[in-house]
Every structure is written in structure tokens, then in C-alpha cells.
Amino acid sequence: MKILIAYHSGSGHTKKLAGYVSEGAASVQRCESDILDVTDLDRRAWDKLHAAHAIIFGSPTYMGSMSGPFKMFMDQTGDFWLQQKWANKIAAAFTVSTGASGDKLNTLIQMSVFAAQHSM
């Protein structure tokens, strides 16, 4: 099973978590895992996303919502939704915030709705 962790990291914390998530996923028998920074996507990166069996989304929570670059990534997937390229993939998400009350739940809900819209 190919698992891809698609993340944005502003200060490095989300990237570090993405690495830990990737390590955990790769420790499962017959699973391979990779991380992908969504701010630097080329055709090859999109192909990796389409080929993955599971995509785990990661974004920091800023001001009660996901980061702008992660939202821009989501907005770029409209054509893939039309083609249902991600239908039936497994989806998961994680977030991090330095604030004690950063409304991280809202970020997770946004990513959950995004995955559901892609029929994941």
C-alpha cells in the first residue's frame, strides 16, 4: 500500500510531524510511505498523489483555520474532483498549533470535508 503525506509547514513543526507519520506508516507490513510538501508541486508530485492508496493531509492551524498554502493546494484539485481521481482512497489528517486554543478542530473538519468531497 502506498501512503503519501501531503503537508504544508510554515515553521517546520508540521514537517516534523509529517516525518513521524511517514515513519509510522512505513513500519506497517507491505506499506510504503513518502512525504510531499504541497507548496512545491510539479507533474510528478501530482502523479504520486493520484497513485497513492491513502493520502494523509497535514497543515498547521493559523488563526483558527488551515494555512493559506494548504488551502491553495486544496483549491488546485478541482479538476481531479471532476475526474474522481481520488475516489475510494483512504484519507486522514493532522494539524499542529503553538496556541493553547488554536481551534485545531476546525482545521481537521475542513480537511475531512475536503476528503469527503473527493469521495475518499
Side-chain angles (χ1 to χ4, degrees):
M1 174 178 267
K2 292 181 183 179
I3 301 167
L4 192 61
I5 295 89
Y7 74 93
H8 166 253
S9 187
S11 62
H13 297 102
T14 310
K15 181 178 182 177
K16 190 168 207 161
L17 281 176
Y20 291 137
V21 171
S22 181
E23 283 179 30
S27 72
V28 176
Q29 245 180 28
R30 296 189 304 260
C31 287
E32 56 185 84
S33 178
D34 198 5
I35 63 173
L36 179 68
D37 183 340
V38 300
T39 60
D40 188 26
L41 298 178
D42 56 16
R43 172 130 176 119
R44 190 170 154 217
W46 288 111
D47 289 345
K48 281 184 174 184
L49 283 158
H50 301 327
H53 297 103
I55 303 173
I56 302 174
F57 303 109
S59 171
T61 295
Y62 296 146
M63 304 303 289
S65 185
M66 67 182 54
S67 68
F70 195 87
K71 176 65 169 96
M72 287 175 60
F73 156 73
M74 289 177 21
D75 290 347
Q76 294 176 56
T77 67
D79 288 341
F80 309 139
W81 171 81
L82 287 172
Q83 300 167 37
Q84 289 293 287
K85 284 191 176 257
W86 295 357
N88 301 314
K89 291 184 187 293
I90 296 169
F94 64 93
T95 187
V96 64
S97 173
T98 56
S101 181
D103 199 11
K104 291 170 266 314
L105 177 60
N106 190 48
T107 300
L108 295 173
I109 290 171
Q110 287 175 300
M111 290 190 275
S112 177
V113 169
F114 170 70
Q117 287 187 331
H118 274 284
S119 303
M120 299 174 85

